[in-house]
Amino acid sequence: MAQQLLMPKATAVWLVDNTALSFDQIAQFCKLHPLEVKAIADGEAAQGIKGLDPIATGQLSRDEIARGEADVNYKLKLSEPKVRVPESKRRGPRYTPVSKRQDRPNAILWLVRNHPELKDAQISRLVGTTKSTIEQIRERTHWNSANLAPMDPVTLGLCSQIDLDLEVEKASKGRPLPTAAELGASLQPASETENLDFGYRSEREEEKEIDADAVFAKLSSLKSNRREEDEEDDRF
């Protein structure tokens, strides 16, 4: 990939303010039109842009600027970067090792059962299979359907847990929230809860009444015993 200048307009602003380079040189280096560079110099364009020093960013050397200032026809060249960033490889179909390809139908069956919201394209990206194979496993028409057993593709090493979570999250966007019936939960009617509360209160009240009667009976018996003991002491 050809090296490109970072923030061309900001670099042009800095070159206009800090060098004696011509408009054509700055325009050629920053990939701008000479009239646009002239507008920057006149203050008619890029008024809110802060200049970016290309020397500080390592994209231009002082010697290169000096050469350009000495020769109006000299074309500035970008400095060679000190660190080469490797180009990102184009993502293609997921490669599955030969030793794990026999496990793909089991992984597909697991995904179909545990994550029915996933689309065929998502399953294909996760385990590296074809849509026809996924359709055969969904409809139980696969040649080995009788021997298939659902197995987690993460455990099998066919995909990572992060990739699986991302695909599930994408598939779940826009889906309505599950209802109480789908979750298997049901609320009790208000009449039942009210009856339960009333019964609970009545039982508590009965227990309080019984406890109070027992306490008073016990106190009265203690008082009668105490009187009998006092009478016996008075006789002696």
Side-chain angles (χ1 to χ4, degrees):
M1 182 176 66
Q3 186 183 358
Q4 295 181 354
L5 179 67
L6 298 175
M7 302 178 66
K9 281 194 176 181
T11 302
V13 170
W14 189 91
L15 291 174
V16 167
D17 294 338
N18 297 277
T19 68
L21 296 170
S22 66
F23 294 160
D24 291 336
Q25 287 175 311
I26 296 174
Q28 177 270 326
F29 181 73
C30 298
K31 301 295 187 292
L32 300 174
H33 195 278
L35 293 178
E36 190 173 1
V37 177
K38 185 178 183 299
I40 292 174
D42 294 338
E44 298 175 358
Q47 295 178 358
I49 298 177
K50 184 179 179 181
L52 177 66
D53 185 357
I55 300 173
T57 57
Q59 297 190 100
L60 194 61
S61 65
R62 293 187 182 276
D63 294 337
E64 191 72 8
I65 293 176
R67 292 191 192 97
E69 291 174 335
D71 184 4
V72 180
N73 297 321
Y74 183 79
K75 294 183 178 180
L76 299 175
K77 298 177 182 177
L78 279 172
S79 301
E80 288 293 328
K82 296 180 180 179
V83 178
R84 288 285 183 180
V85 179
E87 296 183 18
S88 58
K89 296 182 179 179
R90 185 178 179 181
R91 294 189 63 180
R94 181 183 294 274
Y95 174 75
T96 305
V98 178
S99 59
K100 296 181 179 180
R101 289 179 187 177
Q102 60 184 358
D103 296 327
R104 281 189 297 193
N106 295 328
I108 296 170
L109 182 60
W110 188 92
L111 291 170
V112 168
R113 288 188 179 181
N114 292 277
H115 296 288
E117 69 275 12
L118 290 176
K119 298 179 180 178
D120 291 354
Q122 292 178 299
I123 297 175
S124 180
R125 283 197 299 268
L126 286 172
V127 299
T129 185
T130 60
K131 291 185 178 181
S132 61
T133 304
I134 298 171
E135 185 177 354
Q136 290 173 4
I137 293 175
R138 283 185 190 275
E139 298 176 356
R140 306 295 293 177
T141 58
H142 191 266
W143 66 271
N144 197 27
S145 294
N147 300 321
L148 294 182
M151 298 182 70
D152 188 350
V154 177
T155 305
L156 294 172
L158 295 173
C159 68
S160 66
Q161 187 65 51
I162 295 176
D163 291 339
L164 176 59
D165 293 341
L166 287 174
E167 294 295 346
V168 171
E169 184 180 356
K170 289 179 183 178
S172 300
K173 286 182 179 179
R175 291 188 68 202
L177 295 175
T179 61
E182 292 176 348
L183 294 175
S186 59
L187 297 176
Q188 293 182 348
S191 58
E192 293 184 9
T193 56
E194 289 175 359
N195 292 335
L196 288 173
D197 184 53
F198 178 76
Y200 175 75
R201 289 181 180 178
S202 61
E203 289 177 2
R204 293 289 295 176
E205 290 174 358
E206 289 178 0
E207 289 179 0
K208 288 181 180 178
E209 292 177 359
I210 293 172
D211 293 340
D213 294 339
V215 171
F216 284 122
K218 190 173 183 180
L219 288 174
S220 60
S221 63
L222 290 174
K223 288 181 179 179
S224 61
N225 292 336
R226 188 63 178 271
R227 288 176 183 175
E228 292 177 358
E229 291 177 357
D230 293 340
E231 292 176 357
E232 291 179 357
D233 292 340
D234 293 338
R235 289 177 183 176
F236 294 102

